[in-house]
Amino acid sequence: MTIVVIVVFLIFALLAMPLAFALGFASLGGLFVAEMDFSVMPQRMMHAIDNFPLMAIPLFMLAGELMVSAGIMQRLIDFANSIIGRVHGGLAHVAIISGMILAAVSGAAVASASALGSTLVPSMRKQYDTGYSSAVIASASNLGAIIPPSNAMIVYALMAGSSVSVGGLFMAGVVPGLILTIGFMTLASFISRKRNYPLTGDGFNIRHVITQTRRAIVIIMMPVIVVGGIVGGIFTATEGASIAVVYSLIIGFFITRKLTLADLPGALFRAAVTAAMVGALIAFAATVTFVFTIDLVPMRLTSFIQEFTADPQVFIIMVMVLLIIVGMFIESNAAYIMLVPLFAPIALSYGIDPLYFGFLFVLNLVVGMMTPPVGVLLFVMCGISKITMSEMIHSVWPFVILQYIVLILCAVFPQLVTGLPHYLGY
Amino acid sequence: MPDNEQEPVPVAGSIFTLLINLVRGIDRLSFWAVVICMALMAALVSAQVFFRYILSSSIDSADELSRLFFVWAMFLAIPHGIRSGVHIGIDVIVRRLDENIRMQLSRLMSLAGAILMGLVFVVTISVIGDKWQELMPTMEITAAVYYIAVLIATGHAFLHLLVLTWGGPGIWQEVEQ
């Protein structure tokens, strides 16, 4: 029945049916062949969603929506501009720094791309070409899934079961996230110098920096409180996300005073619909996982791979190569939901550190969000900047290569990933 | 917001117009249901955090109720994702096809999706019947209330997919112009 599930899924998925529904058909195929009652399906769907940790995703998305409605983008941009505006590629640096801070607020790459793209692309395209501007924004947005809090890591931890903690994964992303940020900024400087882009922004002025830091500090404090609380074991990711929502409401209503009651229904609705995309995948994939489990697929796959190689490094390389290919074609959330339950237990059986494996898994699929042909961020940026996909791909490839270099560095030097979480007791 | 009063109505009198208007009406109701469920979920989790960490107590049933609102919000939002196109598929192969064929294939996939939703809808009715006597662990409410969200979502999604099958993938843009 596993073969039926895979074949049915592939047929519908390759005919461009939404992946969640293709998983639904695959489930029906599996249940039909196994002669099981179809009533398993709504039960599995409901139980998959009825999950307290999963609630962190819409809540973080809501916090991000509220923060953007509260007008934090201009404060972030002004803050980044005061620090690093007057250097080569100044506006690009502003976008990257803003992306890094926004990443620590929203936890979602696509939401960051929409917020950064709509606010920064108009001014960036006056100084740089549109393709380059869009590539910088896409890269800065991609930090959203690496720098904590990260919705991608929440989904990974959920799918991996109790083998890995959300807080540990969050901490695993800090050092690679900073390396990526510095790497993006270095690349942006190099490209700007090479293309002789003009200097933009005001010169460095300590008073101006202090003023802008004061205005931005309430925003910067949010990830410190929320992520700090989760990592410190004070509260769970879901509780942290609810604190982020309350914090965003306070900022919007009382500090920036740009959030109104009329903004709330739209923000709640958008957060729900975006989270429901992940929810639909999880719900429909639940029956597939059930069929795989009763057909002993995880056990069979484990023994097959262990017969093939006893070397954990070879296993990691195999998974990474598979994920690079998968990341090019399948939306990352779908990939977590389908593949993590299969590969995370195998990684454990090889004695691989679950934080190390989990982070490499996430980073690989995060880079996949920027690789054609199915790079979600590329589509989002093409929509915002009104450029063709080929222009976008032409501009984005140096940033994609840089991310793969960081991925290889993390794979070769596990301490970059596991050093901080291990130091903190994970 | 999915809809507003200014949206023009397509060719009046046809069954398709009735279907579009029916889906719009359900969208409007469902929009507010999603908003209310999300708001209640966020409020309950936040209140529980406040009680737990500030007052060192807890609200009875808050965890279960917040999960219930979450389940409802997620399932009710799935059909809206069909309208706004958030449910992503792999279009690498399909994009290379002739536009006419691509359009027909998209309608066929919508029809297949509608059949899937219809099937899950029917099966969920029997699950609700089976669960009706069962109570939620901390409240005197039937456990079937969780599955009612699945029923509404699959029924609503069925109608959305029927609209896409009938009118094609660009129907909502056409209707709203």
Side-chain angles (χ1 to χ4, degrees), chain A residues 52-373:
Chain A
F52 192 76
L54 196 60
M55 286 162 62
I57 295 174
L59 288 173
F60 274 127
M61 283 176 176
L62 179 59
E65 288 280 351
L66 292 172
M67 281 294 224
V68 172
S69 300
I72 62 155
M73 285 312 300
Q74 200 51 50
R75 286 192 184 212
L76 283 186
I77 292 165
D78 291 344
F79 168 65
N81 201 25
S82 72
I83 301 172
I84 203 153
R86 189 81 183 165
V87 294
H88 276 283
L91 257 180
H93 294 318
V94 169
I96 294 163
I97 295 275
S98 303
M100 187 183 76
I101 302 172
L102 194 62
V105 172
S106 81
V110 174
S112 296
S114 306
L116 283 171
S118 51
T119 42
L120 276 167
V121 164
S123 43
M124 283 179 80
R125 72 195 332 169
K126 287 179 192 159
Q127 311 292 338
Y128 313 135
D129 73 74
T130 310
Y132 171 68
S133 307
S134 307
V136 169
I137 302 260
S139 311
S141 309
N142 223 9
L143 294 168
I146 300 163
I147 290 177
S150 155
N151 286 334
M153 289 176 185
I154 294 171
V155 175
Y156 179 93
L158 204 70
M159 293 294 126
S162 55
S163 64
V164 65
S165 76
V166 174
L169 265 183
F170 279 2
M171 285 301 97
V174 172
V175 174
L178 291 175
I179 294 173
L180 268 176
T181 306
I182 294 165
F184 286 152
M185 291 173 77
T186 311
L187 187 58
S189 284
F190 175 75
I191 293 173
S192 298
R193 274 180 190 277
K194 201 176 161 196
R195 295 184 188 175
N196 273 326
Y197 285 139
L199 287 171
T200 54
D202 305 326
F204 186 84
N205 177 320
I206 191 68
R207 281 192 179 180
H208 186 51
V209 172
I210 292 169
T211 309
Q212 295 306 331
T213 307
R214 268 194 202 148
R215 291 184 76 232
I217 195 74
V218 283
I219 303 159
I220 299 165
M221 281 309 289
M222 179 178 141
V224 174
I225 296 168
V226 172
V227 178
I230 296 168
V231 171
I234 302 168
F235 37 74
T236 64
T238 304
E239 290 170 341
S242 78
I243 291 169
V245 169
V246 174
Y247 194 94
S248 311
L249 287 170
I250 293 168
I251 288 182
F253 283 129
F254 304 110
I255 295 170
T256 63
R257 295 182 182 179
K258 286 194 174 168
L259 190 65
T260 62
L261 282 175
D263 292 327
L264 296 185
L268 286 159
F269 182 74
R270 285 191 299 276
V273 173
T274 316
M277 187 265 277
V278 184
L281 282 165
I282 291 175
F284 283 107
T287 318
V288 171
T289 309
F290 172 72
V291 173
F292 280 177
T293 308
I294 56 171
D295 208 17
L296 304 175
V297 173
M299 277 171 62
R300 283 200 228 166
L301 191 65
T302 305
S303 54
F304 172 76
I305 291 176
Q306 282 181 338
E307 274 171 30
F308 181 78
T309 176
D311 187 347
Q313 294 301 326
V314 176
F315 168 71
I316 288 179
I317 292 167
M318 277 167 53
V319 175
M320 292 301 111
V321 171
L322 174 77
L323 290 179
I324 288 171
I325 298 164
V326 165
M328 286 178 184
F329 295 97
I330 294 185
E331 199 274 327
S332 58
N333 283 304
Y336 295 123
I337 291 156
M338 289 188 283
L339 300 178
V340 174
L342 294 177
F343 288 111
I346 304 176
L348 273 182
S349 72
Y350 275 105
I352 298 168
D353 186 328
L355 285 176
Y356 170 64
F357 183 77
F359 179 77
L360 290 183
F361 203 105
V362 170
L363 181 57
N364 210 322
L365 290 175
V366 164
V367 184
M369 290 172 78
M370 282 179 65
T371 52

Side-chain angles (χ1 to χ4, degrees), chain B residues 2 13 69 87 91 93 112 127 134 139 149 152 169:
Chain B
F69 288 126
H87 301 295
D91 62 351
I93 297 170
V127 174
E134 210 176 288
M139 283 183 292
I152 296 171

Side-chain angles (χ1 to χ4, degrees), chain A residues 12-19 21 24-25 28 38-39 41-43 45-47 49-52 54-55 58-59 62 234-235 238-239 242-243 245-246 265-266 268-269 271-273 275-277 280 283-284 329-331 373-374 376 379, chain B residues 1-2 31-32 34-35 38-39 41-42 45-46 49 52-53 63 66-67 70-71 73-75 77-78 80-82 84 86-95 105 109 112-113 115-117 119-120 123-124 126-127 131 146-147 150 161:
Chain A
F12 282 107
L14 293 175
L15 290 175
M17 176 179 267
L19 291 171
F21 304 161
F25 265 109
L28 287 180
F38 284 175
S39 65
M41 201 163 166
Q43 296 186 42
M45 286 170 71
M46 202 286 293
H47 283 296
I49 299 295
D50 181 18
N51 188 317
F52 192 76
L54 196 60
M55 286 162 62
L59 288 173
L62 179 59
I234 302 168
F235 37 74
T238 304
E239 290 170 341
S242 78
I243 291 169
V245 169
V246 174
L268 286 159
F269 182 74
V273 173
M277 187 265 277
F284 283 107
F329 295 97
I330 294 185
E331 199 274 327
V374 188
V376 179
F379 287 112
Chain B
M1 203 161 169
F31 169 86
W32 286 107
V34 169
V35 167
M38 276 288 286
M41 176 194 83
V45 178
S46 308
V49 168
R52 190 169 292 160
Y53 296 102
D63 286 350
S66 58
R67 278 193 286 111
F70 170 60
V71 167
M74 286 302 97
F75 278 108
I78 289 173
H80 291 277
I82 296 171
S84 56
V86 298
H87 301 295
I88 299 167
I90 303 171
D91 62 351
V92 186
I93 297 170
V94 172
R95 254 191 295 159
L105 191 62
M109 287 302 107
I115 292 168
L116 170 74
M117 293 300 169
L119 207 68
V120 181
V123 173
T124 308
S126 69
V127 174
K131 298 275 175 190
Y146 283 101
Y147 293 94
V150 183
L161 289 160

Side-chain angles (χ1 to χ4, degrees), chain B residues 137-150:
Chain B
T138 61
M139 283 183 292
E140 294 281 310
I141 299 173
T142 169
V145 74
Y146 283 101
Y147 293 94
I148 295 171
V150 183

Side-chain angles (χ1 to χ4, degrees), chain B residues 87-166:
Chain B
H87 301 295
I88 299 167
I90 303 171
D91 62 351
V92 186
I93 297 170
V94 172
R95 254 191 295 159
R96 293 169 198 276
L97 299 174
D98 173 72
E99 179 151 6
N100 210 12
I101 299 171
R102 204 166 61 212
M103 202 65 82
Q104 296 309 320
L105 191 62
S106 169
R107 286 181 161 190
L108 187 67
M109 287 302 107
S110 296
L111 178 64
I115 292 168
L116 170 74
M117 293 300 169
L119 207 68
V120 181
F121 178 85
V122 172
V123 173
T124 308
I125 293 173
S126 69
V127 174
I128 289 174
D130 292 343
K131 298 275 175 190
W132 198 260
Q133 299 302 323
E134 210 176 288
L135 293 178
M136 285 164 66
T138 61
M139 283 183 292
E140 294 281 310
I141 299 173
T142 169
V145 74
Y146 283 101
Y147 293 94
I148 295 171
V150 183
L151 187 79
I152 296 171
T154 48
H156 190 185
F158 171 80
L159 292 174
H160 262 291
L161 289 160
L162 211 57
V163 168
L164 293 181
T165 307
W166 201 327

